[in-house]
Amino acid sequence: MEDRRAVRKRNSGERGLALLAALALGLYVVFLVLPLLLSLRSSFTNENPLKAQNDFIGFANYTEMAGDDQLKASLTFTLILAFGVTIAANALGVGFALLLNRTSLSYRVMRTVAFLPQVLSGVIVAFVWQTILTQNGLLNTALVKIGLLDEPYPWLGSPHAALFSIGLVVTWVMSGFTTVVYLAALQSIPLELHDMASLDGVRGTQRFRKITWPMLAPGTTISVTISLITVLKLYDIITVLTGGGPANSTQSTALYIVKLAFTSDRVGYASAVAMLLLGLSALVALTVTGVLRRREVSL
């Protein structure tokens, strides 16, 4: 009797898990796979919401991209931003994780504060930083008042300064995520390794180089890959901070896609550019992951 009851309970649990799995798969198909396929189909048409009929034009949208200077500029900006932010955010993440890897209450509070930028909406973060970085913002006011600047500096008004400013803001946001990842990796390192290192006289930077850094390899793979993918598809922070200016110098590829679709009404071409960005993101992610995975194995 008890065996039958246990079997029924197990079967009921399995049916419940199967139902949840089916629901998750259905949501995945509806909200990810289906839109991806529709966008892929649209990329082979001249789809325009202002036209009654859209025609199949083959690879015309893809061949047009070869001569699109705005697209090339947006890809260059996106790649520079992605790799620059990834390096800076991961370096900060390792440093913050080493500083916050303590068990006291004050350090636990500081961990929460360090993760706060990642929790906030990108739009809210961008609006806050915009008040700091504008011509008459808090940063220029403070620098002029203490005498470091004679007049306000255009942090968002010149191409190079705007790139630096966006990189600074995105790095600040991403550092919360990277800090948490490296903290988790640090706390997974067996204490016995540090004890043995102490007995062998290995301390300071030597211990970090020979023990801590190699053991952070799995966390590095996760953090670097997700950081790259996040910045490659960045849209909200750039839109609020600069809107792609000045003179489209800070226009990311994601922002260019939105402008094509909703300003120029070229949905078909925008879909083709979106497919290019998807392929580029996948290529970068797979390449970086492969390189870092090989590093994990070699260590």
Side-chain angles (χ1 to χ4, degrees):
M1 191 71 176
E2 291 182 3
D3 289 342
R4 288 181 182 177
R5 224 180 274 134
V7 169
R8 279 200 299 270
K9 188 175 180 180
R10 185 171 65 251
N11 290 339
S12 176
E14 289 176 354
R15 282 195 297 272
L17 289 174
L19 184 62
L20 285 174
L23 177 62
L25 182 60
L27 291 172
Y28 179 81
V29 170
V30 171
F31 291 106
L32 186 66
V33 177
L34 185 59
L36 180 62
L37 293 175
L38 291 174
S39 183
L40 180 62
R41 182 185 65 82
S42 177
S43 70
F44 294 103
T45 69
N46 62 351
E47 184 176 346
N48 187 320
L50 302 180
K51 292 182 179 180
Q53 184 177 348
N54 302 304
D55 301 318
F56 177 79
I57 57 173
F59 289 93
N61 285 327
Y62 291 94
T63 55
E64 182 182 343
M65 286 190 283
D68 189 341
D69 292 333
Q70 276 200 63
L71 174 60
K72 294 174 184 176
S74 72
L75 285 171
T76 301
F77 168 77
T78 301
L79 289 171
I80 291 172
L81 184 68
F83 283 99
V85 167
T86 297
I87 293 169
N90 279 272
L92 284 174
V94 172
F96 288 153
L98 290 170
L99 290 173
L100 299 174
N101 190 26
R102 307 288 189 277
T103 56
S104 64
L105 177 61
S106 59
Y107 281 99
R108 290 202 294 270
V109 172
M110 283 190 283
R111 288 180 207 169
T112 304
V113 173
F115 188 65
L116 189 61
Q118 190 65 32
V119 177
L120 296 174
S121 163
V123 173
I124 294 173
V125 168
F127 272 119
V128 171
W129 276 95
Q130 191 180 50
T131 63
I132 297 172
L133 296 170
T134 51
Q135 193 80 0
N136 297 315
L138 297 175
L139 180 60
N140 276 329
T141 301
L143 292 176
V144 170
K145 188 167 289 188
I146 63 178
L148 291 178
L149 289 179
D150 294 327
E151 58 183 22
Y153 185 78
W155 297 104
L156 301 175
S158 67
H160 294 298
L163 171 60
F164 172 80
S165 299
I166 292 172
L168 174 68
V169 175
V170 180
T171 299
W172 180 74
V173 172
M174 291 302 302
S175 65
F177 168 76
T178 58
T179 298
V180 170
V181 171
Y182 287 116
L183 263 173
L186 282 173
Q187 291 171 0
S188 68
I189 300 175
L191 292 175
E192 292 81 2
L193 289 178
H194 292 294
D195 293 337
M196 291 170 63
S198 298
L199 292 173
D200 292 338
V202 179
R203 291 182 176 81
T205 56
Q206 192 177 12
R207 178 187 292 189
F208 175 80
R209 193 177 70 254
K210 292 187 175 181
I211 296 176
T212 306
W213 179 242
M215 295 299 290
L216 289 178
T220 303
T221 302
I222 295 170
S223 183
V224 168
T225 304
I226 294 179
S227 297
L228 277 171
I229 293 172
T230 300
V231 183
L232 283 171
K233 61 184 181 65
L234 189 67
Y235 165 76
D236 51 358
I237 292 176
I238 296 172
T239 302
V240 175
L241 276 178
T242 64
N248 293 326
S249 61
T250 61
Q251 181 173 252
S252 68
T253 308
L255 177 56
Y256 183 50
I257 291 168
V258 172
K259 286 183 177 179
L260 283 171
F262 298 104
T263 303
S264 303
D265 296 315
R266 299 192 62 193
V267 176
Y269 186 57
S271 297
V273 177
M275 291 297 105
L276 173 67
L277 180 60
L278 175 64
L280 177 64
S281 300
L283 177 63
V284 170
L286 289 172
T287 303
V288 171
T289 303
V291 171
L292 293 177
R293 287 290 186 193
R294 284 196 293 273
R295 173 177 172 263
E296 290 180 34
V297 173
S298 64
L299 293 173

